[in-house]
Amino acid sequence: MPTLADLSEPESFAHGRVTWRSGAGVCLLTLTNPPANGYSYEMMRDLDEAVLRARMDTAVEVIVLAGASEKFFCAGADIGMLDRLDPDFKYAFCLHANETLLRLEHTPKLVVAALGGHCVGGGLEVAMAADLRWARADSGKCGLPEVALGVLPGTGGTQRLSRIVGKSRSIAMMASGELVGYARAQELGLVDEVIAADDDASFLDAVLDRIGAFLRPGHSSTSVGLIKRAVQTGWELPLEAGLALERELQARLFASDDAKEGLAAFVEKRPARFEGK
């Protein structure tokens, strides 16, 4: 199972708002904008580049998103930045953020958001673009409180929250600006797992330990990636179109070395060793 010690030293992208560490099949992307990791255009530019790099890197099987703070995964958009910008730039900023999170959502690799500290506003919108959200117990709250600023959650919040917790519940949460602890978020289905840990380092090690279950050679990351693609792309399609997509992705897997290995290992009653091919 991978640990933080297995990952490379942090390296920053052009604007210094996201750092990259990788190793043992994992890529750790850390949002870095003290004190609350508020996201800006510069952070989204860095995240966009990081997602593309992870997508193209065949050694990366799972992407982990984290925040560079004990207190915050991400406190949302940098309000000072938004206050200074004109409406046209704000619109283009939201559009680029939408495109970046869609790119993350459609990358055929498992994405886990490791929520240590508060995850509110745009921070939760980033986390909701991940496939799984694992939170450090009692480390903070999450929610979309943009109504207090006279705006709406404009980086996918209205769309993704409603798909995760349901229409009426999402409207109630956003209209009231309700913030909930991670135990309640798990009850709502907004968080998939709550992990007890003393600090962020031990929390991330626990996250990486769990991620080991999705990595080669014991697990086919290729299958995981295409399962994700089938769900993410097929979710809004009519059933017959979704089934057609599923068949095409299955055909790709049947032609892969991983499928041949998995079927042979089952017949031969031995553990499979997948290579992601």
Side-chain angles (χ1 to χ4, degrees), residues 21 86 100 133 135 137 177 179 185 187 208 215 256 262:
R21 297 180 68 184
D86 63 64
T100 297
R133 285 163 295 281
L179 301 179
E187 293 174 357
L208 294 176
L215 299 175
S256 71

Side-chain angles (χ1 to χ4, degrees), residues 76-260:
D78 184 328
I79 304 303
M81 176 205 72
L82 290 178
D83 187 51
R84 294 189 301 270
L85 300 176
D86 63 64
D88 288 341
F89 191 97
K90 290 175 185 175
Y91 180 87
F93 167 67
C94 288
L95 176 59
H96 175 253
N98 286 157
E99 292 167 340
T100 297
L101 296 183
L102 282 170
R103 201 184 321 280
L104 178 68
E105 200 167 53
H106 289 289
T107 292
K109 300 184 181 188
L110 190 70
V111 179
V112 177
L115 310 180
H118 300 295
C119 177
V120 297
L124 181 57
E125 291 177 300
V126 171
M128 288 192 295
D131 304 306
L132 300 173
R133 285 163 295 281
W134 297 345
R136 178 159 63 90
D138 302 318
S139 66
K141 293 185 176 182
C142 63
L144 298 174
E146 283 86 347
V147 67
L149 301 174
V151 297
L152 57 73
T155 312
T158 62
Q159 302 307 300
R160 290 190 176 93
L161 185 65
S162 59
R163 286 161 169 77
I164 293 170
V165 305
K167 185 167 65 174
S168 60
R169 181 64 203 172
S170 69
I171 291 173
M173 289 182 70
M174 289 183 284
S176 66
E178 178 185 14
L179 301 179
V180 299
Y182 287 131
R184 175 58 176 155
Q186 185 178 27
E187 293 174 357
L188 294 171
L190 187 52
V191 164
D192 300 290
E193 186 171 356
V194 176
I195 300 171
D198 293 332
D199 53 36
D200 260 10
S202 57
F203 169 60
L204 286 174
D205 268 333
V207 167
L208 294 176
D209 182 67
R210 285 162 170 76
I211 282 171
F214 298 100
L215 299 175
R216 301 190 299 256
H219 210 71
S220 173
S221 55
T222 304
S223 297
V224 171
L226 294 190
I227 287 169
K228 170 181 175 172
R229 292 293 299 125
V231 173
Q232 294 288 14
T233 301
W235 184 258
E236 300 298 327
L237 294 177
L239 179 58
E240 288 190 8
L243 292 172
L245 170 65
E246 183 182 85
R247 288 194 301 273
E248 293 303 314
L249 295 175
Q250 183 73 299
R252 283 181 55 187
L253 287 172
F254 277 145
S256 71
D257 290 343
D258 272 7
K260 294 171 186 174

